[in-house]
mmCIF file with all atom_site columns, all heavy atoms in Angstrom:
data_model
loop_
_atom_site.group_PDB
_atom_site.id
_atom_site.type_symbol
_atom_site.label_atom_id
_atom_site.label_alt_id
_atom_site.label_comp_id
_atom_site.label_asym_id
_atom_site.label_entity_id
_atom_site.label_seq_id
_atom_site.pdbx_PDB_ins_code
_atom_site.Cartn_x
_atom_site.Cartn_y
_atom_site.Cartn_z
_atom_site.occupancy
_atom_site.B_iso_or_equiv
_atom_site.pdbx_formal_charge
_atom_site.auth_seq_id
_atom_site.auth_comp_id
_atom_site.auth_asym_id
_atom_site.auth_atom_id
_atom_site.pdbx_PDB_model_num
ATOM 1   N N   . SER X 1 1  ? 119.880 -138.505 -151.826 1.00 0.00 ? 1  SER X N   1
ATOM 2   C CA  . SER X 1 1  ? 120.343 -139.473 -150.830 1.00 0.00 ? 1  SER X CA  1
ATOM 3   C C   . SER X 1 1  ? 119.602 -139.183 -149.536 1.00 0.00 ? 1  SER X C   1
ATOM 4   O O   . SER X 1 1  ? 119.788 -138.128 -148.928 1.00 0.00 ? 1  SER X O   1
ATOM 5   C CB  . SER X 1 1  ? 121.856 -139.381 -150.634 1.00 0.00 ? 1  SER X CB  1
ATOM 6   O OG  . SER X 1 1  ? 122.253 -138.048 -150.384 1.00 0.00 ? 1  SER X OG  1
ATOM 7   N N   . ILE X 1 2  ? 118.755 -140.110 -149.127 1.00 0.00 ? 2  ILE X N   1
ATOM 8   C CA  . ILE X 1 2  ? 117.841 -139.911 -148.003 1.00 0.00 ? 2  ILE X CA  1
ATOM 9   C C   . ILE X 1 2  ? 118.333 -140.712 -146.806 1.00 0.00 ? 2  ILE X C   1
ATOM 10  O O   . ILE X 1 2  ? 118.436 -141.939 -146.866 1.00 0.00 ? 2  ILE X O   1
ATOM 11  C CB  . ILE X 1 2  ? 116.418 -140.333 -148.385 1.00 0.00 ? 2  ILE X CB  1
ATOM 12  C CG1 . ILE X 1 2  ? 115.982 -139.581 -149.645 1.00 0.00 ? 2  ILE X CG1 1
ATOM 13  C CG2 . ILE X 1 2  ? 115.445 -140.078 -147.245 1.00 0.00 ? 2  ILE X CG2 1
ATOM 14  C CD1 . ILE X 1 2  ? 114.735 -140.130 -150.274 1.00 0.00 ? 2  ILE X CD1 1
ATOM 15  N N   . GLY X 1 3  ? 118.650 -140.021 -145.724 1.00 0.00 ? 3  GLY X N   1
ATOM 16  C CA  . GLY X 1 3  ? 119.162 -140.665 -144.526 1.00 0.00 ? 3  GLY X CA  1
ATOM 17  C C   . GLY X 1 3  ? 118.058 -141.111 -143.583 1.00 0.00 ? 3  GLY X C   1
ATOM 18  O O   . GLY X 1 3  ? 117.194 -140.326 -143.214 1.00 0.00 ? 3  GLY X O   1
ATOM 19  N N   . PHE X 1 4  ? 118.098 -142.370 -143.187 1.00 0.00 ? 4  PHE X N   1
ATOM 20  C CA  . PHE X 1 4  ? 117.149 -142.932 -142.226 1.00 0.00 ? 4  PHE X CA  1
ATOM 21  C C   . PHE X 1 4  ? 117.844 -143.036 -140.872 1.00 0.00 ? 4  PHE X C   1
ATOM 22  O O   . PHE X 1 4  ? 119.026 -143.376 -140.792 1.00 0.00 ? 4  PHE X O   1
ATOM 23  C CB  . PHE X 1 4  ? 116.696 -144.328 -142.659 1.00 0.00 ? 4  PHE X CB  1
ATOM 24  C CG  . PHE X 1 4  ? 115.676 -144.359 -143.765 1.00 0.00 ? 4  PHE X CG  1
ATOM 25  C CD1 . PHE X 1 4  ? 115.910 -143.705 -144.966 1.00 0.00 ? 4  PHE X CD1 1
ATOM 26  C CD2 . PHE X 1 4  ? 114.486 -145.051 -143.608 1.00 0.00 ? 4  PHE X CD2 1
ATOM 27  C CE1 . PHE X 1 4  ? 114.986 -143.746 -145.989 1.00 0.00 ? 4  PHE X CE1 1
ATOM 28  C CE2 . PHE X 1 4  ? 113.548 -145.100 -144.630 1.00 0.00 ? 4  PHE X CE2 1
ATOM 29  C CZ  . PHE X 1 4  ? 113.793 -144.440 -145.823 1.00 0.00 ? 4  PHE X CZ  1
ATOM 30  N N   . GLY X 1 5  ? 117.094 -142.768 -139.800 1.00 0.00 ? 5  GLY X N   1
ATOM 31  C CA  . GLY X 1 5  ? 117.621 -142.969 -138.453 1.00 0.00 ? 5  GLY X CA  1
ATOM 32  C C   . GLY X 1 5  ? 118.540 -141.877 -137.960 1.00 0.00 ? 5  GLY X C   1
ATOM 33  O O   . GLY X 1 5  ? 119.269 -142.078 -136.989 1.00 0.00 ? 5  GLY X O   1
ATOM 34  N N   . GLY X 1 6  ? 118.537 -140.727 -138.611 1.00 0.00 ? 6  GLY X N   1
ATOM 35  C CA  . GLY X 1 6  ? 119.432 -139.648 -138.205 1.00 0.00 ? 6  GLY X CA  1
ATOM 36  C C   . GLY X 1 6  ? 118.868 -138.769 -137.099 1.00 0.00 ? 6  GLY X C   1
ATOM 37  O O   . GLY X 1 6  ? 117.724 -138.925 -136.671 1.00 0.00 ? 6  GLY X O   1
ATOM 38  N N   . LYS X 1 7  ? 119.688 -137.828 -136.625 1.00 0.00 ? 7  LYS X N   1
ATOM 39  C CA  . LYS X 1 7  ? 119.282 -136.855 -135.611 1.00 0.00 ? 7  LYS X CA  1
ATOM 40  C C   . LYS X 1 7  ? 119.360 -135.455 -136.209 1.00 0.00 ? 7  LYS X C   1
ATOM 41  O O   . LYS X 1 7  ? 120.297 -135.125 -136.939 1.00 0.00 ? 7  LYS X O   1
ATOM 42  C CB  . LYS X 1 7  ? 120.197 -136.948 -134.389 1.00 0.00 ? 7  LYS X CB  1
ATOM 43  C CG  . LYS X 1 7  ? 120.161 -138.284 -133.663 1.00 0.00 ? 7  LYS X CG  1
ATOM 44  C CD  . LYS X 1 7  ? 120.990 -138.239 -132.392 1.00 0.00 ? 7  LYS X CD  1
ATOM 45  C CE  . LYS X 1 7  ? 122.460 -138.016 -132.709 1.00 0.00 ? 7  LYS X CE  1
ATOM 46  N NZ  . LYS X 1 7  ? 123.294 -138.051 -131.475 1.00 0.00 ? 7  LYS X NZ  1
ATOM 47  N N   . TRP X 1 8  ? 118.398 -134.614 -135.861 1.00 0.00 ? 8  TRP X N   1
ATOM 48  C CA  . TRP X 1 8  ? 118.402 -133.250 -136.391 1.00 0.00 ? 8  TRP X CA  1
ATOM 49  C C   . TRP X 1 8  ? 119.619 -132.461 -135.930 1.00 0.00 ? 8  TRP X C   1
ATOM 50  O O   . TRP X 1 8  ? 120.135 -131.603 -136.651 1.00 0.00 ? 8  TRP X O   1
ATOM 51  C CB  . TRP X 1 8  ? 117.127 -132.525 -135.977 1.00 0.00 ? 8  TRP X CB  1
ATOM 52  C CG  . TRP X 1 8  ? 115.929 -132.968 -136.755 1.00 0.00 ? 8  TRP X CG  1
ATOM 53  C CD1 . TRP X 1 8  ? 114.823 -133.608 -136.281 1.00 0.00 ? 8  TRP X CD1 1
ATOM 54  C CD2 . TRP X 1 8  ? 115.726 -132.817 -138.169 1.00 0.00 ? 8  TRP X CD2 1
ATOM 55  N NE1 . TRP X 1 8  ? 113.951 -133.882 -137.303 1.00 0.00 ? 8  TRP X NE1 1
ATOM 56  C CE2 . TRP X 1 8  ? 114.473 -133.395 -138.469 1.00 0.00 ? 8  TRP X CE2 1
ATOM 57  C CE3 . TRP X 1 8  ? 116.483 -132.262 -139.203 1.00 0.00 ? 8  TRP X CE3 1
ATOM 58  C CZ2 . TRP X 1 8  ? 113.961 -133.424 -139.768 1.00 0.00 ? 8  TRP X CZ2 1
ATOM 59  C CZ3 . TRP X 1 8  ? 115.981 -132.285 -140.498 1.00 0.00 ? 8  TRP X CZ3 1
ATOM 60  C CH2 . TRP X 1 8  ? 114.734 -132.867 -140.764 1.00 0.00 ? 8  TRP X CH2 1
ATOM 61  N N   . SER X 1 9  ? 120.125 -132.775 -134.748 1.00 0.00 ? 9  SER X N   1
ATOM 62  C CA  . SER X 1 9  ? 121.271 -132.027 -134.233 1.00 0.00 ? 9  SER X CA  1
ATOM 63  C C   . SER X 1 9  ? 122.538 -132.285 -135.049 1.00 0.00 ? 9  SER X C   1
ATOM 64  O O   . SER X 1 9  ? 123.496 -131.520 -134.982 1.00 0.00 ? 9  SER X O   1
ATOM 65  C CB  . SER X 1 9  ? 121.522 -132.404 -132.769 1.00 0.00 ? 9  SER X CB  1
ATOM 66  O OG  . SER X 1 9  ? 121.787 -133.788 -132.647 1.00 0.00 ? 9  SER X OG  1
ATOM 67  N N   . ALA X 1 10 ? 122.538 -133.359 -135.839 1.00 0.00 ? 10 ALA X N   1
ATOM 68  C CA  . ALA X 1 10 ? 123.722 -133.704 -136.634 1.00 0.00 ? 10 ALA X CA  1
ATOM 69  C C   . ALA X 1 10 ? 123.540 -133.344 -138.102 1.00 0.00 ? 10 ALA X C   1
ATOM 70  O O   . ALA X 1 10 ? 124.256 -133.865 -138.955 1.00 0.00 ? 10 ALA X O   1
ATOM 71  C CB  . ALA X 1 10 ? 124.025 -135.189 -136.488 1.00 0.00 ? 10 ALA X CB  1
ATOM 72  N N   . TYR X 1 11 ? 122.589 -132.434 -138.395 1.00 0.00 ? 11 TYR X N   1
ATOM 73  C CA  . TYR X 1 11 ? 122.295 -132.129 -139.797 1.00 0.00 ? 11 TYR X CA  1
ATOM 74  C C   . TYR X 1 11 ? 123.524 -131.634 -140.544 1.00 0.00 ? 11 TYR X C   1
ATOM 75  O O   . TYR X 1 11 ? 123.727 -131.925 -141.729 1.00 0.00 ? 11 TYR X O   1
ATOM 76  C CB  . TYR X 1 11 ? 121.162 -131.093 -139.888 1.00 0.00 ? 11 TYR X CB  1
ATOM 77  C CG  . TYR X 1 11 ? 121.608 -129.665 -139.664 1.00 0.00 ? 11 TYR X CG  1
ATOM 78  C CD1 . TYR X 1 11 ? 121.985 -128.855 -140.728 1.00 0.00 ? 11 TYR X CD1 1
ATOM 79  C CD2 . TYR X 1 11 ? 121.674 -129.139 -138.371 1.00 0.00 ? 11 TYR X CD2 1
ATOM 80  C CE1 . TYR X 1 11 ? 122.418 -127.551 -140.511 1.00 0.00 ? 11 TYR X CE1 1
ATOM 81  C CE2 . TYR X 1 11 ? 122.105 -127.853 -138.157 1.00 0.00 ? 11 TYR X CE2 1
ATOM 82  C CZ  . TYR X 1 11 ? 122.458 -127.052 -139.224 1.00 0.00 ? 11 TYR X CZ  1
ATOM 83  O OH  . TYR X 1 11 ? 122.895 -125.778 -139.009 1.00 0.00 ? 11 TYR X OH  1
ATOM 84  N N   . GLY X 1 12 ? 124.399 -130.859 -139.858 1.00 0.00 ? 12 GLY X N   1
ATOM 85  C CA  . GLY X 1 12 ? 125.601 -130.333 -140.501 1.00 0.00 ? 12 GLY X CA  1
ATOM 86  C C   . GLY X 1 12 ? 126.535 -131.447 -140.949 1.00 0.00 ? 12 GLY X C   1
ATOM 87  O O   . GLY X 1 12 ? 127.096 -131.397 -142.057 1.00 0.00 ? 12 GLY X O   1
ATOM 88  N N   . GLU X 1 13 ? 126.695 -132.468 -140.102 1.00 0.00 ? 13 GLU X N   1
ATOM 89  C CA  . GLU X 1 13 ? 127.545 -133.603 -140.450 1.00 0.00 ? 13 GLU X CA  1
ATOM 90  C C   . GLU X 1 13 ? 126.971 -134.348 -141.644 1.00 0.00 ? 13 GLU X C   1
ATOM 91  O O   . GLU X 1 13 ? 127.724 -134.792 -142.536 1.00 0.00 ? 13 GLU X O   1
ATOM 92  C CB  . GLU X 1 13 ? 127.659 -134.555 -139.254 1.00 0.00 ? 13 GLU X CB  1
ATOM 93  C CG  . GLU X 1 13 ? 128.314 -133.934 -138.025 1.00 0.00 ? 13 GLU X CG  1
ATOM 94  C CD  . GLU X 1 13 ? 128.261 -134.876 -136.836 1.00 0.00 ? 13 GLU X CD  1
ATOM 95  O OE1 . GLU X 1 13 ? 128.126 -136.105 -137.056 1.00 0.00 ? 13 GLU X OE1 1
ATOM 96  O OE2 . GLU X 1 13 ? 128.344 -134.395 -135.695 1.00 0.00 ? 13 GLU X OE2 1
ATOM 97  N N   . TYR X 1 14 ? 125.638 -134.493 -141.667 1.00 0.00 ? 14 TYR X N   1
ATOM 98  C CA  . TYR X 1 14 ? 125.008 -135.206 -142.780 1.00 0.00 ? 14 TYR X CA  1
ATOM 99  C C   . TYR X 1 14 ? 125.190 -134.444 -144.092 1.00 0.00 ? 14 TYR X C   1
ATOM 100 O O   . TYR X 1 14 ? 125.473 -135.040 -145.133 1.00 0.00 ? 14 TYR X O   1
ATOM 101 C CB  . TYR X 1 14 ? 123.520 -135.405 -142.500 1.00 0.00 ? 14 TYR X CB  1
ATOM 102 C CG  . TYR X 1 14 ? 123.224 -136.223 -141.273 1.00 0.00 ? 14 TYR X CG  1
ATOM 103 C CD1 . TYR X 1 14 ? 122.128 -135.929 -140.461 1.00 0.00 ? 14 TYR X CD1 1
ATOM 104 C CD2 . TYR X 1 14 ? 124.029 -137.303 -140.913 1.00 0.00 ? 14 TYR X CD2 1
ATOM 105 C CE1 . TYR X 1 14 ? 121.856 -136.673 -139.324 1.00 0.00 ? 14 TYR X CE1 1
ATOM 106 C CE2 . TYR X 1 14 ? 123.765 -138.053 -139.784 1.00 0.00 ? 14 TYR X CE2 1
ATOM 107 C CZ  . TYR X 1 14 ? 122.672 -137.740 -138.988 1.00 0.00 ? 14 TYR X CZ  1
ATOM 108 O OH  . TYR X 1 14 ? 122.400 -138.483 -137.875 1.00 0.00 ? 14 TYR X OH  1
ATOM 109 N N   . GLU X 1 15 ? 125.024 -133.133 -144.046 1.00 0.00 ? 15 GLU X N   1
ATOM 110 C CA  . GLU X 1 15 ? 125.216 -132.326 -145.254 1.00 0.00 ? 15 GLU X CA  1
ATOM 111 C C   . GLU X 1 15 ? 126.655 -132.428 -145.741 1.00 0.00 ? 15 GLU X C   1
ATOM 112 O O   . GLU X 1 15 ? 126.913 -132.554 -146.952 1.00 0.00 ? 15 GLU X O   1
ATOM 113 C CB  . GLU X 1 15 ? 124.862 -130.862 -144.977 1.00 0.00 ? 15 GLU X CB  1
ATOM 114 C CG  . GLU X 1 15 ? 123.381 -130.565 -145.023 1.00 0.00 ? 15 GLU X CG  1
ATOM 115 C CD  . GLU X 1 15 ? 123.091 -129.071 -144.998 1.00 0.00 ? 15 GLU X CD  1
ATOM 116 O OE1 . GLU X 1 15 ? 123.611 -128.397 -144.083 1.00 0.00 ? 15 GLU X OE1 1
ATOM 117 O OE2 . GLU X 1 15 ? 122.356 -128.597 -145.879 1.00 0.00 ? 15 GLU X OE2 1
ATOM 118 N N   . ASP X 1 16 ? 127.602 -132.362 -144.811 1.00 0.00 ? 16 ASP X N   1
ATOM 119 C CA  . ASP X 1 16 ? 129.013 -132.472 -145.183 1.00 0.00 ? 16 ASP X CA  1
ATOM 120 C C   . ASP X 1 16 ? 129.311 -133.842 -145.800 1.00 0.00 ? 16 ASP X C   1
ATOM 121 O O   . ASP X 1 16 ? 130.186 -133.967 -146.666 1.00 0.00 ? 16 ASP X O   1
ATOM 122 C CB  . ASP X 1 16 ? 129.910 -132.259 -143.964 1.00 0.00 ? 16 ASP X CB  1
ATOM 123 C CG  . ASP X 1 16 ? 129.864 -130.822 -143.454 1.00 0.00 ? 16 ASP X CG  1
ATOM 124 O OD1 . ASP X 1 16 ? 129.428 -129.936 -144.212 1.00 0.00 ? 16 ASP X OD1 1
ATOM 125 O OD2 . ASP X 1 16 ? 130.248 -130.601 -142.282 1.00 0.00 ? 16 ASP X OD2 1
ATOM 126 N N   . ALA X 1 17 ? 128.587 -134.863 -145.341 1.00 0.00 ? 17 ALA X N   1
ATOM 127 C CA  . ALA X 1 17 ? 128.796 -136.215 -145.865 1.00 0.00 ? 17 ALA X CA  1
ATOM 128 C C   . ALA X 1 17 ? 128.145 -136.413 -147.229 1.00 0.00 ? 17 ALA X C   1
ATOM 129 O O   . ALA X 1 17 ? 128.414 -137.416 -147.905 1.00 0.00 ? 17 ALA X O   1
ATOM 130 C CB  . ALA X 1 17 ? 128.253 -137.249 -144.886 1.00 0.00 ? 17 ALA X CB  1
ATOM 131 N N   . GLY X 1 18 ? 127.263 -135.469 -147.622 1.00 0.00 ? 18 GLY X N   1
ATOM 132 C CA  . GLY X 1 18 ? 126.627 -135.564 -148.926 1.00 0.00 ? 18 GLY X CA  1
ATOM 133 C C   . GLY X 1 18 ? 125.161 -135.921 -148.919 1.00 0.00 ? 18 GLY X C   1
ATOM 134 O O   . GLY X 1 18 ? 124.521 -135.972 -149.974 1.00 0.00 ? 18 GLY X O   1
ATOM 135 N N   . LEU X 1 19 ? 124.582 -136.196 -147.727 1.00 0.00 ? 19 LEU X N   1
ATOM 136 C CA  . LEU X 1 19 ? 123.151 -136.481 -147.670 1.00 0.00 ? 19 LEU X CA  1
ATOM 137 C C   . LEU X 1 19 ? 122.362 -135.245 -148.066 1.00 0.00 ? 19 LEU X C   1
ATOM 138 O O   . LEU X 1 19 ? 122.733 -134.117 -147.747 1.00 0.00 ? 19 LEU X O   1
ATOM 139 C CB  . LEU X 1 19 ? 122.730 -136.908 -146.262 1.00 0.00 ? 19 LEU X CB  1
ATOM 140 C CG  . LEU X 1 19 ? 123.097 -138.317 -145.811 1.00 0.00 ? 19 LEU X CG  1
ATOM 141 C CD1 . LEU X 1 19 ? 122.557 -138.568 -144.410 1.00 0.00 ? 19 LEU X CD1 1
ATOM 142 C CD2 . LEU X 1 19 ? 122.558 -139.368 -146.770 1.00 0.00 ? 19 LEU X CD2 1
ATOM 143 N N   . THR X 1 20 ? 121.249 -135.469 -148.761 1.00 0.00 ? 20 THR X N   1
ATOM 144 C CA  . THR X 1 20 ? 120.411 -134.344 -149.179 1.00 0.00 ? 20 THR X CA  1
ATOM 145 C C   . THR X 1 20 ? 119.110 -134.264 -148.396 1.00 0.00 ? 20 THR X C   1
ATOM 146 O O   . THR X 1 20 ? 118.518 -133.187 -148.299 1.00 0.00 ? 20 THR X O   1
ATOM 147 C CB  . THR X 1 20 ? 120.076 -134.451 -150.675 1.00 0.00 ? 20 THR X CB  1
ATOM 148 O OG1 . THR X 1 20 ? 119.400 -135.704 -150.929 1.00 0.00 ? 20 THR X OG1 1
ATOM 149 C CG2 . THR X 1 20 ? 121.346 -134.395 -151.519 1.00 0.00 ? 20 THR X CG2 1
ATOM 150 N N   . HIS X 1 21 ? 118.664 -135.395 -147.808 1.00 0.00 ? 21 HIS X N   1
ATOM 151 C CA  . HIS X 1 21 ? 117.375 -135.423 -147.109 1.00 0.00 ? 21 HIS X CA  1
ATOM 152 C C   . HIS X 1 21 ? 117.456 -136.330 -145.885 1.00 0.00 ? 21 HIS X C   1
ATOM 153 O O   . HIS X 1 21 ? 118.337 -137.190 -145.791 1.00 0.00 ? 21 HIS X O   1
ATOM 154 C CB  . HIS X 1 21 ? 116.262 -135.951 -148.025 1.00 0.00 ? 21 HIS X CB  1
ATOM 155 C CG  . HIS X 1 21 ? 116.021 -135.120 -149.244 1.00 0.00 ? 21 HIS X CG  1
ATOM 156 N ND1 . HIS X 1 21 ? 116.845 -135.159 -150.341 1.00 0.00 ? 21 HIS X ND1 1
ATOM 157 C CD2 . HIS X 1 21 ? 115.032 -134.228 -149.530 1.00 0.00 ? 21 HIS X CD2 1
ATOM 158 C CE1 . HIS X 1 21 ? 116.386 -134.333 -151.267 1.00 0.00 ? 21 HIS X CE1 1
ATOM 159 N NE2 . HIS X 1 21 ? 115.297 -133.754 -150.800 1.00 0.00 ? 21 HIS X NE2 1
ATOM 160 N N   . LEU X 1 22 ? 116.523 -136.145 -144.954 1.00 0.00 ? 22 LEU X N   1
ATOM 161 C CA  . LEU X 1 22 ? 116.365 -137.007 -143.801 1.00 0.00 ? 22 LEU X CA  1
ATOM 162 C C   . LEU X 1 22 ? 114.919 -137.506 -143.729 1.00 0.00 ? 22 LEU X C   1
ATOM 163 O O   . LEU X 1 22 ? 113.993 -136.772 -144.080 1.00 0.00 ? 22 LEU X O   1
ATOM 164 C CB  . LEU X 1 22 ? 116.721 -136.303 -142.502 1.00 0.00 ? 22 LEU X CB  1
ATOM 165 C CG  . LEU X 1 22 ? 118.188 -135.988 -142.233 1.00 0.00 ? 22 LEU X CG  1
ATOM 166 C CD1 . LEU X 1 22 ? 118.333 -135.261 -140.898 1.00 0.00 ? 22 LEU X CD1 1
ATOM 167 C CD2 . LEU X 1 22 ? 119.046 -137.242 -142.237 1.00 0.00 ? 22 LEU X CD2 1
ATOM 168 N N   . PHE X 1 23 ? 114.762 -138.738 -143.243 1.00 0.00 ? 23 PHE X N   1
ATOM 169 C CA  . PHE X 1 23 ? 113.435 -139.330 -143.089 1.00 0.00 ? 23 PHE X CA  1
ATOM 170 C C   . PHE X 1 23 ? 113.218 -139.717 -141.640 1.00 0.00 ? 23 PHE X C   1
ATOM 171 O O   . PHE X 1 23 ? 114.007 -140.470 -141.055 1.00 0.00 ? 23 PHE X O   1
ATOM 172 C CB  . PHE X 1 23 ? 113.298 -140.549 -143.990 1.00 0.00 ? 23 PHE X CB  1
ATOM 173 C CG  . PHE X 1 23 ? 111.971 -141.252 -143.885 1.00 0.00 ? 23 PHE X CG  1
ATOM 174 C CD1 . PHE X 1 23 ? 110.807 -140.616 -144.304 1.00 0.00 ? 23 PHE X CD1 1
ATOM 175 C CD2 . PHE X 1 23 ? 111.883 -142.535 -143.391 1.00 0.00 ? 23 PHE X CD2 1
ATOM 176 C CE1 . PHE X 1 23 ? 109.586 -141.267 -144.217 1.00 0.00 ? 23 PHE X CE1 1
ATOM 177 C CE2 . PHE X 1 23 ? 110.667 -143.195 -143.301 1.00 0.00 ? 23 PHE X CE2 1
ATOM 178 C CZ  . PHE X 1 23 ? 109.506 -142.553 -143.722 1.00 0.00 ? 23 PHE X CZ  1
ATOM 179 N N   . LYS X 1 24 ? 112.168 -139.162 -141.032 1.00 0.00 ? 24 LYS X N   1
ATOM 180 C CA  . LYS X 1 24 ? 111.822 -139.448 -139.637 1.00 0.00 ? 24 LYS X CA  1
ATOM 181 C C   . LYS X 1 24 ? 113.019 -139.240 -138.703 1.00 0.00 ? 24 LYS X C   1
ATOM 182 O O   . LYS X 1 24 ? 113.339 -140.087 -137.865 1.00 0.00 ? 24 LYS X O   1
ATOM 183 C CB  . LYS X 1 24 ? 111.304 -140.894 -139.491 1.00 0.00 ? 24 LYS X CB  1
ATOM 184 C CG  . LYS X 1 24 ? 109.946 -141.148 -140.107 1.00 0.00 ? 24 LYS X CG  1
ATOM 185 C CD  . LYS X 1 24 ? 109.451 -142.539 -139.798 1.00 0.00 ? 24 LYS X CD  1
ATOM 186 C CE  . LYS X 1 24 ? 108.065 -142.780 -140.343 1.00 0.00 ? 24 LYS X CE  1
ATOM 187 N NZ  . LYS X 1 24 ? 107.573 -144.163 -140.069 1.00 0.00 ? 24 LYS X NZ  1
ATOM 188 N N   . ALA X 1 25 ? 113.681 -138.130 -138.873 1.00 0.00 ? 25 ALA X N   1
ATOM 189 C CA  . ALA X 1 25 ? 114.840 -137.832 -138.019 1.00 0.00 ? 25 ALA X CA  1
ATOM 190 C C   . ALA X 1 25 ? 114.414 -137.630 -136.570 1.00 0.00 ? 25 ALA X C   1
ATOM 191 O O   . ALA X 1 25 ? 113.308 -137.155 -136.294 1.00 0.00 ? 25 ALA X O   1
ATOM 192 C CB  . ALA X 1 25 ? 115.568 -136.603 -138.530 1.00 0.00 ? 25 ALA X CB  1
ATOM 193 N N   . ARG X 1 26 ? 115.304 -137.966 -135.635 1.00 0.00 ? 26 ARG X N   1
ATOM 194 C CA  . ARG X 1 26 ? 115.011 -137.862 -134.214 1.00 0.00 ? 26 ARG X CA  1
ATOM 195 C C   . ARG X 1 26 ? 115.508 -136.531 -133.663 1.00 0.00 ? 26 ARG X C   1
ATOM 196 O O   . ARG X 1 26 ? 116.475 -135.944 -134.163 1.00 0.00 ? 26 ARG X O   1
ATOM 197 C CB  . ARG X 1 26 ? 115.684 -139.004 -133.443 1.00 0.00 ? 26 ARG X CB  1
ATOM 198 C CG  . ARG X 1 26 ? 115.405 -140.385 -133.978 1.00 0.00 ? 26 ARG X CG  1
ATOM 199 C CD  . ARG X 1 26 ? 116.004 -141.446 -133.060 1.00 0.00 ? 26 ARG X CD  1
ATOM 200 N NE  . ARG X 1 26 ? 117.391 -141.211 -132.753 1.00 0.00 ? 26 ARG X NE  1
ATOM 201 C CZ  . ARG X 1 26 ? 118.410 -141.610 -133.515 1.00 0.00 ? 26 ARG X CZ  1
ATOM 202 N NH1 . ARG X 1 26 ? 118.169 -142.250 -134.647 1.00 0.00 ? 26 ARG X NH1 1
ATOM 203 N NH2 . ARG X 1 26 ? 119.662 -141.376 -133.157 1.00 0.00 ? 26 ARG X NH2 1
ATOM 204 N N   . THR X 1 27 ? 114.835 -136.073 -132.619 1.00 0.00 ? 27 THR X N   1
ATOM 205 C CA  . THR X 1 27 ? 115.310 -134.906 -131.875 1.00 0.00 ? 27 THR X CA  1
ATOM 206 C C   . THR X 1 27 ? 116.039 -135.411 -130.622 1.00 0.00 ? 27 THR X C   1
ATOM 207 O O   . THR X 1 27 ? 115.703 -136.466 -130.077 1.00 0.00 ? 27 THR X O   1
ATOM 208 C CB  . THR X 1 27 ? 114.148 -133.994 -131.457 1.00 0.00 ? 27 THR X CB  1
ATOM 209 O OG1 . THR X 1 27 ? 113.184 -134.776 -130.706 1.00 0.00 ? 27 THR X OG1 1
ATOM 210 C CG2 . THR X 1 27 ? 113.479 -133.410 -132.678 1.00 0.00 ? 27 THR X CG2 1
#
């Protein structure tokens, strides 16, 4: 499950939600 438009600072929330990858995440 690849998340688009995410932020690196929220990686923990994304992992908890079940996302496995990020694409072009923002800082």
Side-chain angles (χ1 to χ4, degrees):
S1 51
I2 305 167
F4 283 54
K7 297 186 296 183
W8 285 115
S9 60
Y11 80 92
E13 298 174 22
Y14 299 144
E15 279 191 307
D16 292 342
L19 285 182
T20 58
H21 299 77
L22 289 179
F23 179 66
K24 290 186 177 179
R26 308 186 309 274
T27 55

